[in-house]
């Protein structure tokens, strides 16, 4: 990898770290007290296996939960062992992971578009206001934990795309599968990584028919980690799912509620104003609700546009996929309840929004330069 690209990635990480350095002075808030300070599993090594095999709230006894996050629990455990009950240490870890994500985002984007646009997208991501909840709140760190693993998995997959054959290609594919498994253990949002991998623009030197072969390879590489994760999650909850919030709802009601969240998320991704930790969710009456119809239009319209633009503007197509695909796992209000929309769920999708903004700004700049009259 060129030295200049690594330097830019390090600069991006430094910028992201600096923007959130002030949170080192923050204390524990909200769920931090119960989930961290009052969680005996984090502070007693005897319970270490429970952190990797049980649901997040299982330490409270028989309380139902929908959250299986071994990576988050492991990070809490390591912070506790090394630093004790110091709030600044937990914030430091969160900031460092956010900085790592910003650097990895630049490395991925720089392989898809110009360095200038990649740097602009990385800057937008580093400073996106919707990330405050995820980065500044210790208990809200699951998306921050998942993002670098997901990006690293995509980078490994991209590297395998560029390798025609041989040992290095096999190692990169194995790394992509392993990172996928870890990303799933960080948060279930990572389930979309195989689809994102297939949406990545193919390298210019790729042979005809290479995309079909890579689709088959993806099925082999990502299937085993997904099955193992599904088994672990099933055992953690004692069933296929955890707590069901609205057991009397029909499938159409659940679908309408999920679709109505899409325009809300897209609006905050591009216009991050009036940010709050959790928004109380008013379920729509049905699929004919204006927000549900708008969500369906955005989802299916973006899918159609992504497939149509894939050949001519593959970066825009990938940006749309990176925005919408990671949103889909958090559209099931059955698992989230009345606070079904939260800014922290936009941490990963905002990568796509920032890439799209940078591409649009770059294209407009080129057009303005071409339209400028010659002296």
């Amino acid at each position: 990898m060129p030295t200049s690209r690594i330097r830019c990635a390090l600069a991006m990480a430094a910028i992201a770290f600096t923007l959130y350095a002030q949170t080192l002075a923050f204390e524990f808030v909200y769920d931090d007290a119960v989930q961290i300070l009052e969680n005996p599993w984090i502070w007693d090594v005897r319970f270490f296996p429970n952190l990797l095999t049980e649901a997040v709230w299982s330490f409270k006894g028989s309380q139902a939960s929908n959250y299986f996050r071994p990576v988050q629990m492991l990070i809490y455990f390591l912070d506790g062992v090394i630093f004790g009950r110091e709030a600044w240490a937990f914030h430091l870890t969160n900031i460092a992971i956010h900085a790592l994500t910003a650097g990895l985002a630049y490395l991925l984007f720089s392989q898809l578009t110009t360095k200038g646009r990649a740097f602009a997208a990385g800057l937008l991501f580093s400073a996106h206001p919707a990330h405050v909840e995820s980065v500044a709140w210790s208990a809200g760190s699951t998306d921050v934990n998942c993002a670098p693993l997901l990006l690293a998995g995509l980078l490994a997959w991209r590297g395998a795309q560029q390798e025609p054959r041989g040992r290095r290609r096999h190692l990169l594919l194995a790394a992509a599968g392993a990172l996928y498994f870890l990303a799933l253990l960080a948060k279930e949002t990572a389930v979309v990584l195989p689809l994102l991998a297939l949406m990545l623009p193919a390298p210019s030197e790729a042979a005809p028919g290479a995309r079909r072969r890579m689709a088959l390879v993806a099925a082999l590489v990502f299937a085993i980690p997904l099955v193992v994760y599904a088994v672990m999650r099933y055992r953690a909850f004692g069933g296929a799912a955890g707590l069901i919030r609205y057991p009397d709802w029909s499938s159409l009601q659940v679908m309408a509620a999920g679709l109505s969240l899409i325009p809300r998320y897209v609006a905050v991704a591009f216009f991050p104003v009036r940010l709050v930790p959790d928004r109380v969710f008013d379920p729509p009456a049905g699929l004919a609700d204006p927000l549900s119809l708008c969500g369906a239009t955005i989802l299916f319209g973006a899918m159609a546009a992504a497939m149509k633009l894939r050949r001519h503007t593959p970066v825009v197509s990938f940006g749309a996929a990176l925005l919408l695909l990671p949103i889909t796992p958090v559209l099931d209000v059955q698992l989230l309840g009345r606070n079904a929309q939260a800014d922290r769920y936009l941490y990963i999708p905002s990568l796509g929004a920032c890439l799209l903004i940078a591409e649009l700004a770059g294209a407009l700049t080129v057009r303005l330069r071409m339209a400028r009259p010659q002296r």
Side-chain angles (χ1 to χ4, degrees):
M1 186 174 293
T3 305
S4 60
R5 186 175 293 171
I6 295 177
R7 289 176 178 173
C8 286
L10 291 175
M12 187 65 62
I15 293 171
F17 188 94
T18 303
L19 288 173
Y20 283 93
Q22 61 179 324
T23 65
L24 293 173
F26 291 1
E27 297 296 330
F28 291 116
V29 295
Y30 299 134
D31 291 346
D32 295 345
V34 178
Q35 191 170 339
I36 299 175
L37 297 179
E38 299 175 13
N39 186 348
W41 292 3
I42 292 176
W43 307 104
D44 192 332
V45 70
R46 293 178 302 168
F47 298 111
F48 180 79
N50 294 16
L51 299 176
L52 306 180
T53 59
E54 301 290 340
V56 168
W57 295 103
S58 296
F59 70 93
K60 293 179 69 66
S62 59
Q63 181 173 350
S65 172
N66 292 319
Y67 308 116
F68 179 58
R69 310 284 165 72
V71 169
Q72 183 188 40
M73 296 295 103
L74 179 59
I75 291 174
Y76 288 164
F77 176 81
L78 293 175
D79 278 341
V81 169
I82 299 172
F83 301 105
R85 299 174 181 267
E86 298 291 339
W88 66 265
F90 288 80
H91 289 302
L92 175 63
T93 301
N94 229 25
I95 302 170
I97 298 175
H98 173 62
L100 175 62
T101 302
L104 291 173
Y106 170 79
L107 289 178
L108 179 63
F109 293 161
S110 64
Q111 296 189 32
L112 308 178
T113 186
T114 64
K115 291 183 179 179
R117 295 182 186 183
F119 201 84
L123 280 178
L124 287 172
F125 173 79
S126 300
H128 199 292
H131 298 167
V132 171
E133 182 183 355
S134 298
V135 183
W137 181 27
S138 297
S141 62
T142 51
D143 295 272
V144 179
N145 299 333
C146 179
L149 295 168
L150 186 144
L151 290 173
L154 290 175
L155 282 168
W157 179 262
R158 178 72 177 182
Q161 282 183 314
Q162 296 170 329
E163 291 288 334
R165 60 183 60 85
R167 183 170 178 269
R168 178 177 171 81
R169 174 185 170 87
H170 295 153
L171 289 175
L172 287 170
L173 289 174
L179 288 164
Y180 179 46
F181 179 64
L182 292 175
L184 287 169
L185 293 180
K187 191 173 183 182
E188 58 276 2
T189 300
V191 72
V192 301
L193 190 153
L195 296 177
L196 291 174
L198 293 177
M199 289 298 296
L200 273 173
S204 56
E205 65 275 9
R211 189 177 293 277
R212 292 181 180 178
R213 291 194 296 272
M214 290 304 288
L216 178 60
V217 172
L220 298 174
V221 169
F222 297 123
I224 295 177
L226 182 59
V227 170
V228 174
Y229 168 76
V231 172
M232 293 178 64
R233 185 179 177 89
Y234 184 92
R235 294 189 63 180
F237 294 134
L243 177 65
I244 302 299
R245 306 287 185 179
Y246 306 110
D248 298 330
W249 278 25
S250 66
S251 299
L252 289 179
Q253 285 177 298
V254 175
M255 184 183 302
L259 289 173
S260 71
L261 290 174
I262 294 178
R264 302 167 188 254
Y265 278 122
V266 172
V268 176
F270 289 102
F271 305 100
V273 296
R274 297 181 179 178
L275 302 174
V276 294
D278 292 291
R279 290 174 170 81
V280 176
F281 174 68
D282 295 322
L287 288 173
D289 185 88
L291 275 178
S292 298
L293 291 174
C294 182
T297 302
I298 292 174
L299 179 62
F300 295 109
M303 290 172 58
M307 298 306 296
K308 188 175 182 61
L309 297 173
R310 195 173 179 181
R311 178 175 300 179
H312 302 291
T313 54
V315 179
V316 173
S317 177
F318 176 72
L322 187 55
L323 169 62
L324 288 176
L325 284 176
I327 290 178
T328 54
V330 296
L331 297 182
D332 190 350
V333 298
Q334 287 278 44
L335 304 179
L336 297 174
R338 289 188 59 80
N339 294 330
Q341 184 188 5
D343 297 335
R344 58 186 176 275
Y345 300 150
L346 272 175
Y347 187 81
I348 295 175
S350 67
L351 286 163
C354 294
L355 180 59
L356 289 174
I357 293 172
E359 282 295 300
L360 176 61
L364 289 175
T365 301
V366 171
R367 292 221 171 194
L368 289 174
R369 288 178 179 174
M370 293 176 63
R372 185 180 302 170
Q374 296 182 356
R375 294 184 180 276

